[in-house]
Amino acid sequence: MKIKESLKLYVKYASVCTQSIMQYKLSFLLMIIARFILAFCELIAIKFLFIGFTQIKGYTYGDVLLCFSIIQMSFTFAELFGNGFKVFSGMVKGGEFDRMMLRPCSLILQVIGSRFEVGRTGPLFTAIITLVLGIRHSQITWNIMTIWTMAAMIIGGTLLFIGLFMLEASVCFFSIEDTSLMNVLTYGAKTHGKYPIDIYGKGILRFCTYVIPYTLIQYYPLQFLLGKTNNWQLAFCPIGIIVFLLICNFVWRFGVKRYKSCGS
């Protein structure tokens, strides 16, 4: 299927899902508000933390706010566009994936298109507020490179989390039971990623570099963004997430080939 046709089909999927959600406007509004409040409470927690400290391992309040906003945006966009992978176990158990395999269309496109939930964008408002506050409190010199770095971190982070969701879905091909253990790599990464990775120690930094390449979209480009290094090449680290996505896609295809229907 051509890229243009795939995009058109995805837009149709998203439109149908959005229309379905908007049939229950009050529920949609309450979901937006609830998720906004939950994310905003995390912002308040950071504020209280810096009442007693001026820095955390060399990172100021503005630095942490920038880090928080970038990760929050990345995860929110990943939930919006890749939520189908998160609920994939339900598709397998209900036999929905069997129907998808009969259609002459990309399986990945069908999975992500079937669960486009705009109600999950509540934290995005918190991320925007945090980004504005972070820019105000930081000492960043904004130019083309720093703007590119921030944009690359957000886009790369979105792709990273979608890749993790895909890995979580791939586990369902071998075990249709709940894959909550994978939440350590998704929600856990989101929670810990709100602060620069190196504050947790060298062990976590190595794990997030060589196992799950989380540092490519957070720690290394953040060093350049905050002016802690003049190595401009770090601004292009998020591009490395493409390799991680290829690995995730390989695991997904491997699982699809060995998929056995479990019925409904």
Side-chain angles (χ1 to χ4, degrees), residues 65-116:
L65 286 182
L66 282 174
C67 188
F68 174 89
S69 63
I70 291 171
I71 296 304
Q72 189 70 67
M73 282 188 183
S74 298
F75 193 83
T76 301
F77 286 136
E79 278 196 316
L80 178 63
F81 297 110
N83 192 52
F85 288 124
K86 290 182 60 182
V87 298
F88 185 70
S89 61
M91 296 183 188
V92 174
K93 292 178 183 179
E96 185 178 350
F97 187 65
D98 292 27
R99 294 193 297 271
M100 291 181 177
M101 296 188 71
L102 298 175
R103 299 167 184 162
C105 180
S106 168
L107 289 174
I108 292 179
L109 180 62
Q110 292 184 71
V111 171
I112 62 176
S114 64
R115 294 295 188 277
F116 184 85

Side-chain angles (χ1 to χ4, degrees), residues 163-164 166-167 170 244-253:
L164 291 174
M166 185 184 294
L167 286 180
S170 300
F244 178 71
L245 275 181
L246 292 176
I247 295 174
C248 294
N249 183 62
F250 173 80
V251 175
W252 167 266
R253 291 180 178 274

Side-chain angles (χ1 to χ4, degrees), residues 27-40:
S27 177
F28 168 76
L29 181 61
L30 291 176
M31 181 183 292
I32 290 285
I33 294 174
R35 292 180 67 84
F36 168 76
I37 292 175
L38 287 174
F40 194 77

